[in-house]
Amino acid sequence: MASDSARPVPEELDRQECLRLIAPGGIGRIAFDDGEGPTVIPVNYAVDGESVVFRTSLEGRLNRSLLTAVPGGQVRAAFEVDAFQDSTHEGWSVLVRGGAKPLGAEEKERAVRVDPWAGGQREAWFRLTAMEVSGRRLRRP
């Protein structure tokens, strides 16, 4: 069994480092309340400044839940991305919390590109504006 001194230690990450880590885009998880309780769904995303942009299907649970907001309003949501190495037990995790809102046609034209991996139509675009950004990294001292 490894001694405690050989184990990775957690360190808090500042906002800028968190945004740098998630900037390449890829896959993250959006967390929201779908009316039946907390739900987490993986999505492809891109970072646009301090916002996360993602797409989903018009018929999906995510779209239905996030559209329940008052027109022009936002739905509270969280977005998480991480990267860990099983072999070393090192990695990082970033959490973005804020308000998600659908993008209109004009906003979609100006938004960063998000290329979904999943087949089918992904015509519902959303932006999660970061109100709070936090993260942790596990690494060896």
Side-chain angles (χ1 to χ4, degrees):
M1 184 175 218
S3 72
D4 280 346
S5 64
R7 291 181 181 204
V9 294
E11 75 178 76
E12 297 295 319
L13 301 175
D14 66 24
R15 186 180 188 100
Q16 291 307 89
E17 178 65 1
C18 289
L19 293 171
R20 184 191 72 74
L21 287 168
I22 68 171
I27 295 180
R29 288 162 291 284
I30 186 84
F32 59 100
D33 186 334
D34 71 355
E36 295 180 28
T39 302
V40 180
I41 295 178
V43 294
N44 293 98
Y45 77 95
V47 174
D48 186 10
E50 292 200 356
S51 295
V52 175
V53 176
F54 57 94
R55 295 168 59 179
T56 189
S57 68
L58 291 172
E59 301 81 29
R61 175 187 297 195
L62 178 57
N63 185 49
R64 287 191 314 268
S65 296
L66 294 183
L67 284 180
T68 60
V70 175
Q74 298 182 358
V75 174
R76 289 178 58 182
F79 180 76
E80 192 270 345
V81 180
D82 57 49
F84 287 95
Q85 297 296 320
D86 286 340
S87 61
T88 64
H89 298 177
E90 294 178 297
W92 56 266
S93 177
V94 170
L95 178 66
V96 177
R97 296 201 291 183
K101 69 174 198 157
L103 298 183
E106 191 174 300
E107 292 172 299
K108 288 180 193 177
E109 291 298 318
R110 293 192 316 259
V112 296
R113 304 313 312 158
V114 179
D115 296 317
W117 289 9
Q121 297 294 316
R122 300 286 183 252
E123 297 303 316
W125 289 59
F126 289 88
R127 175 181 304 277
L128 176 74
T129 302
M131 307 248 180
E132 179 185 329
V133 180
S134 61
R136 291 179 14 150
R137 176 182 284 131
L138 280 176
R139 72 169 150 199
R140 301 200 184 277

